[in-house]
Amino acid sequence: MHIFDIYLPVAGIEFSVVLLVAIGFCVGTLGGFFGVGGGWIVTPALNIFGFHMAFAIGTDLSNIFGQSIGAVRKHQKMGNIDWKMGLISIITSVIGLEIGSDVIISLEKAGDVGVIVRWCYMFMLTSLGCYMLYDYFVLRSQQLKNTDSSDPGAADGKSGRRGAANTRRLHRVKIPPLISFPASGIEDVSLWTILLIFLLTGFLSGFMGVGGGFMIMPALVYLIGLPTTVAIGTSLITVLFSAAYGCFTYAVKGRVEIFAALIMLIGASIGAQIGATAVRYIKGYGIRLLFAVMIILAALSVGTEQFYKITGKHFFQSLAGIVLMGTAISMSAIIMVKLVSESTKEKRSRKAKIAQTSDNESRHV
Amino acid sequence: MSTTRALVILLVSLSFTCVIPVVFTGYNEVCSSEAGSEQSTEFRNKVDTSKLSGIEYLIADMYNNDRVLYAVVVTLVMATLGTGMAFLTDLVLKALGLEVSRISHKE
């Protein structure tokens, strides 16, 4: 396998090109499909395979920046981006992020907060994942009861999710100024509600030291009430801008391995396009189901890492990395299989329609 | 796609993934105490350019002497390659009949 190794002069190590492209491809697919950055996969993966942590974070952010450009472009084509919401999200999330990181810094003075952060992270991922799974299964059972409905979305009437109740509650708050988001189909919602939600997601990102894409997307869906596809596109805007900023600042500090980032970007760009295209073929509730499974598996990986911290056995650290990469590869595989099967179905039905039309015409003649 | 099919793919991929780290680094390296951050390289602020040539030398020299310029180059190159690759992949996907257009946002 060493024939695929390349010397990375900035990091001063040899690394497999195939591995870089593969990691990039997986994270790109997930990024384009779920509207997340995927730093929680790339950073530990690079670190496990020999990158210094400082280089792993910077290189990862550079890759996320590059891959997000293509994904944003694709989602823009599909009308999945609410720029107004995205802009508010960027500004408010940054403030929340600063508050969150300040809290962490002050807590660090009191002692080691790493354990608390990891437990919070695990709790967040698990609870969010379980809520989304619960939401999905309730909709499925409602669909089964409602024989007239062929779409689980119809079970909830308008939005196709139980979280719509939360949305309605939050939309009832009418503290001025009220703001509308025509691109998302949201009318007259209090600006304060939106600011508070993004402040919270930003705070949690800063507190847990993560990008935040995995929190912004569900928050947009379950709290603000955006359709899942629009939430994905809008979340990507925040990811794009924060990654661009991260790429530059980490590079100034000398913590970006440009050659590794470029090689990874080749796989990531292809993956991001495939992931974003797959959004067209999978319904909102399906995307949310896959997202829920993915974050629960990510929580499992963090939990395994926690075992390593407690027992000191490196087996658990390796296992955590394997679970994480396994999750990324599995999810990418599911997304690709779904894309291929659904697009083939669509092509077949289109052909059948054309054949039927020409048949009718010939009979008419 | 049925849930069963999705679960089968998930399980197959997970088992396949367990093989990947072993293939690329060897089981002993993956499970040894050297794995993870301990195996990682030391963080260096300067790159040894004596054995480098061509583009590698240029980039490493820039990294050593002008970090802001290095950051600008990294950001611009990532943006350019990101856009270029997206454009190329888009063309390939179009050729495969996977062209996208405005979609309806029904759940």
Side-chain angles (χ1 to χ4, degrees), chain A residues 85 167 170-181 186-194 197 223-224:
Chain A
M85 183 79 79
T167 311
L170 285 170
H171 284 207
R172 255 181 243 142
V173 180
K174 295 287 181 192
I175 305 168
L178 298 179
I179 187 166
S180 295
F181 298 94
I186 292 173
E187 283 174 8
D188 293 341
V189 59
S190 172
L191 178 65
W192 297 107
T193 309
I194 305 284
I197 290 166
L223 298 177
I224 302 179

Short mmCIF file of all heavy atoms in Angstrom, two decimals, chain A residues 85 167 170-181 186-194 197 223-224:
data_model
loop_
_atom_site.label_atom_id
_atom_site.label_comp_id
_atom_site.label_asym_id
_atom_site.label_seq_id
_atom_site.Cartn_x
_atom_site.Cartn_y
_atom_site.Cartn_z
N MET A 85 -32.06 34.01 6.00
CA MET A 85 -31.93 33.19 7.21
C MET A 85 -30.46 32.83 7.44
O MET A 85 -29.97 32.87 8.57
CB MET A 85 -32.76 31.91 7.04
CG MET A 85 -32.78 31.01 8.23
SD MET A 85 -33.89 31.55 9.52
CE MET A 85 -35.47 31.02 8.89
N THR A 167 -42.63 24.31 16.44
CA THR A 167 -42.54 25.46 15.54
C THR A 167 -43.72 26.40 15.75
O THR A 167 -43.54 27.61 15.88
CB THR A 167 -42.53 24.97 14.07
OG1 THR A 167 -41.57 23.95 13.95
CG2 THR A 167 -42.23 26.09 13.12
N LEU A 170 -43.41 28.36 18.93
CA LEU A 170 -42.43 29.45 18.84
C LEU A 170 -42.92 30.58 17.93
O LEU A 170 -42.61 31.75 18.17
CB LEU A 170 -41.09 28.91 18.32
CG LEU A 170 -40.27 28.10 19.33
CD1 LEU A 170 -39.10 27.41 18.65
CD2 LEU A 170 -39.74 28.99 20.45
N HIS A 171 -43.69 30.21 16.93
CA HIS A 171 -44.20 31.23 16.00
C HIS A 171 -45.30 32.08 16.65
O HIS A 171 -45.63 33.15 16.15
CB HIS A 171 -44.70 30.58 14.71
CG HIS A 171 -43.57 30.16 13.81
ND1 HIS A 171 -43.70 30.07 12.46
CD2 HIS A 171 -42.30 29.83 14.08
CE1 HIS A 171 -42.54 29.68 11.94
NE2 HIS A 171 -41.69 29.53 12.91
N ARG A 172 -45.89 31.56 17.74
CA ARG A 172 -46.93 32.31 18.44
C ARG A 172 -46.35 33.52 19.18
O ARG A 172 -47.05 34.44 19.51
CB ARG A 172 -47.66 31.38 19.42
CG ARG A 172 -49.04 30.98 18.89
CD ARG A 172 -49.74 30.10 19.89
NE ARG A 172 -49.99 28.79 19.31
CZ ARG A 172 -49.89 27.64 19.96
NH1 ARG A 172 -49.52 27.61 21.22
NH2 ARG A 172 -50.16 26.51 19.35
N VAL A 173 -45.04 33.45 19.47
CA VAL A 173 -44.38 34.59 20.15
C VAL A 173 -44.30 35.73 19.15
O VAL A 173 -43.65 35.61 18.11
CB VAL A 173 -42.95 34.18 20.62
CG1 VAL A 173 -42.26 35.34 21.31
CG2 VAL A 173 -43.02 32.96 21.51
N LYS A 174 -45.01 36.82 19.46
CA LYS A 174 -45.08 37.92 18.48
C LYS A 174 -44.42 39.19 19.00
O LYS A 174 -45.01 40.28 18.92
CB LYS A 174 -46.55 38.20 18.10
CG LYS A 174 -47.24 37.04 17.38
CD LYS A 174 -46.76 36.88 15.96
CE LYS A 174 -47.50 35.72 15.27
NZ LYS A 174 -46.90 35.34 14.01
N ILE A 175 -43.22 39.05 19.55
CA ILE A 175 -42.52 40.24 20.04
C ILE A 175 -41.89 40.95 18.83
O ILE A 175 -41.13 40.34 18.08
CB ILE A 175 -41.41 39.85 21.05
CG1 ILE A 175 -42.00 39.02 22.19
CG2 ILE A 175 -40.69 41.08 21.59
CD1 ILE A 175 -40.98 38.34 23.07
N PRO A 176 -42.22 42.24 18.60
CA PRO A 176 -41.68 42.92 17.42
C PRO A 176 -40.15 43.14 17.55
O PRO A 176 -39.65 43.21 18.67
CB PRO A 176 -42.42 44.26 17.40
CG PRO A 176 -43.06 44.39 18.73
CD PRO A 176 -43.10 43.08 19.40
N PRO A 177 -39.44 43.25 16.47
CA PRO A 177 -39.91 43.26 15.08
C PRO A 177 -40.21 41.85 14.55
O PRO A 177 -39.51 40.90 14.88
CB PRO A 177 -38.72 43.86 14.33
CG PRO A 177 -37.53 43.50 15.15
CD PRO A 177 -37.99 43.43 16.58
N LEU A 178 -41.26 41.78 13.71
CA LEU A 178 -41.60 40.51 13.07
C LEU A 178 -40.91 40.46 11.71
O LEU A 178 -40.74 41.48 11.05
CB LEU A 178 -43.11 40.38 12.91
CG LEU A 178 -43.93 40.38 14.20
CD1 LEU A 178 -45.40 40.26 13.88
CD2 LEU A 178 -43.51 39.27 15.15
N ILE A 179 -40.52 39.27 11.34
CA ILE A 179 -39.76 39.13 10.09
C ILE A 179 -40.30 37.94 9.30
O ILE A 179 -40.78 36.97 9.88
CB ILE A 179 -38.25 38.99 10.42
CG1 ILE A 179 -37.38 39.01 9.18
CG2 ILE A 179 -37.96 37.77 11.25
CD1 ILE A 179 -35.90 39.22 9.47
N SER A 180 -40.25 38.05 7.96
CA SER A 180 -40.73 36.95 7.10
C SER A 180 -39.57 36.38 6.29
O SER A 180 -38.62 37.10 5.96
CB SER A 180 -41.79 37.46 6.13
OG SER A 180 -42.91 37.86 6.86
N PHE A 181 -39.67 35.11 5.98
CA PHE A 181 -38.66 34.45 5.14
C PHE A 181 -39.38 33.78 3.98
O PHE A 181 -39.73 32.59 4.05
CB PHE A 181 -37.88 33.41 5.96
CG PHE A 181 -37.11 34.01 7.10
CD1 PHE A 181 -37.66 34.07 8.37
CD2 PHE A 181 -35.84 34.52 6.91
CE1 PHE A 181 -36.97 34.63 9.42
CE2 PHE A 181 -35.13 35.08 7.96
CZ PHE A 181 -35.70 35.14 9.22
N ILE A 186 -41.93 31.08 5.51
CA ILE A 186 -42.22 31.44 6.90
C ILE A 186 -42.64 32.91 6.96
O ILE A 186 -41.94 33.78 6.45
CB ILE A 186 -40.99 31.20 7.81
CG1 ILE A 186 -40.73 29.71 7.89
CG2 ILE A 186 -41.18 31.79 9.21
CD1 ILE A 186 -39.47 29.33 8.60
N GLU A 187 -43.79 33.11 7.61
CA GLU A 187 -44.31 34.48 7.67
C GLU A 187 -44.40 34.96 9.10
O GLU A 187 -44.78 34.21 10.00
CB GLU A 187 -45.70 34.53 7.04
CG GLU A 187 -45.65 34.49 5.52
CD GLU A 187 -47.02 34.40 4.90
OE1 GLU A 187 -48.01 34.52 5.64
OE2 GLU A 187 -47.08 34.18 3.68
N ASP A 188 -44.07 36.21 9.30
CA ASP A 188 -44.25 36.92 10.58
C ASP A 188 -43.80 36.13 11.81
O ASP A 188 -44.60 35.72 12.65
CB ASP A 188 -45.72 37.32 10.74
CG ASP A 188 -46.11 38.36 9.71
OD1 ASP A 188 -45.20 39.00 9.16
OD2 ASP A 188 -47.32 38.52 9.45
N VAL A 189 -42.52 35.92 11.89
CA VAL A 189 -41.97 35.29 13.09
C VAL A 189 -41.12 36.36 13.80
O VAL A 189 -40.53 37.23 13.15
CB VAL A 189 -41.14 34.03 12.72
CG1 VAL A 189 -40.00 34.34 11.79
CG2 VAL A 189 -40.62 33.33 13.95
N SER A 190 -41.12 36.31 15.12
CA SER A 190 -40.36 37.31 15.87
C SER A 190 -38.87 37.13 15.61
O SER A 190 -38.33 36.02 15.71
CB SER A 190 -40.64 37.17 17.35
OG SER A 190 -39.78 38.03 18.07
N LEU A 191 -38.21 38.25 15.31
CA LEU A 191 -36.76 38.21 15.06
C LEU A 191 -36.03 37.69 16.29
O LEU A 191 -35.02 36.99 16.18
CB LEU A 191 -36.27 39.61 14.68
CG LEU A 191 -34.77 39.76 14.43
CD1 LEU A 191 -34.33 38.96 13.20
CD2 LEU A 191 -34.38 41.22 14.25
N TRP A 192 -36.59 38.02 17.48
CA TRP A 192 -35.95 37.60 18.73
C TRP A 192 -35.92 36.07 18.87
O TRP A 192 -34.96 35.52 19.40
CB TRP A 192 -36.66 38.23 19.94
CG TRP A 192 -36.57 39.73 19.90
CD1 TRP A 192 -37.57 40.61 19.60
CD2 TRP A 192 -35.38 40.52 20.09
NE1 TRP A 192 -37.09 41.90 19.59
CE2 TRP A 192 -35.74 41.87 19.90
CE3 TRP A 192 -34.06 40.22 20.38
CZ2 TRP A 192 -34.84 42.91 20.01
CZ3 TRP A 192 -33.15 41.25 20.50
CH2 TRP A 192 -33.55 42.59 20.32
N THR A 193 -36.97 35.44 18.40
CA THR A 193 -37.02 33.96 18.45
C THR A 193 -35.89 33.38 17.62
O THR A 193 -35.16 32.49 18.07
CB THR A 193 -38.37 33.46 17.89
OG1 THR A 193 -39.41 34.15 18.54
CG2 THR A 193 -38.55 31.98 18.09
N ILE A 194 -35.74 33.92 16.41
CA ILE A 194 -34.70 33.42 15.49
C ILE A 194 -33.31 33.66 16.10
O ILE A 194 -32.46 32.77 16.10
CB ILE A 194 -34.81 34.15 14.12
CG1 ILE A 194 -36.22 34.01 13.54
CG2 ILE A 194 -33.74 33.68 13.14
CD1 ILE A 194 -36.56 32.69 12.95
N ILE A 197 -32.53 31.28 18.96
CA ILE A 197 -32.23 29.91 18.52
C ILE A 197 -30.78 29.81 17.99
O ILE A 197 -30.03 28.92 18.36
CB ILE A 197 -33.24 29.45 17.44
CG1 ILE A 197 -34.62 29.24 18.08
CG2 ILE A 197 -32.79 28.17 16.75
CD1 ILE A 197 -35.76 29.11 17.10
N LEU A 223 -37.33 23.73 15.07
CA LEU A 223 -37.70 24.92 15.84
C LEU A 223 -38.21 26.06 14.97
O LEU A 223 -39.19 26.71 15.29
CB LEU A 223 -36.49 25.40 16.67
CG LEU A 223 -35.97 24.40 17.71
CD1 LEU A 223 -34.74 24.95 18.42
CD2 LEU A 223 -37.04 24.07 18.74
N ILE A 224 -37.52 26.28 13.84
CA ILE A 224 -37.95 27.41 13.00
C ILE A 224 -38.99 26.97 11.97
O ILE A 224 -39.82 27.77 11.55
CB ILE A 224 -36.73 28.09 12.34
CG1 ILE A 224 -35.77 28.55 13.45
CG2 ILE A 224 -37.13 29.29 11.49
CD1 ILE A 224 -34.51 29.20 13.00
#
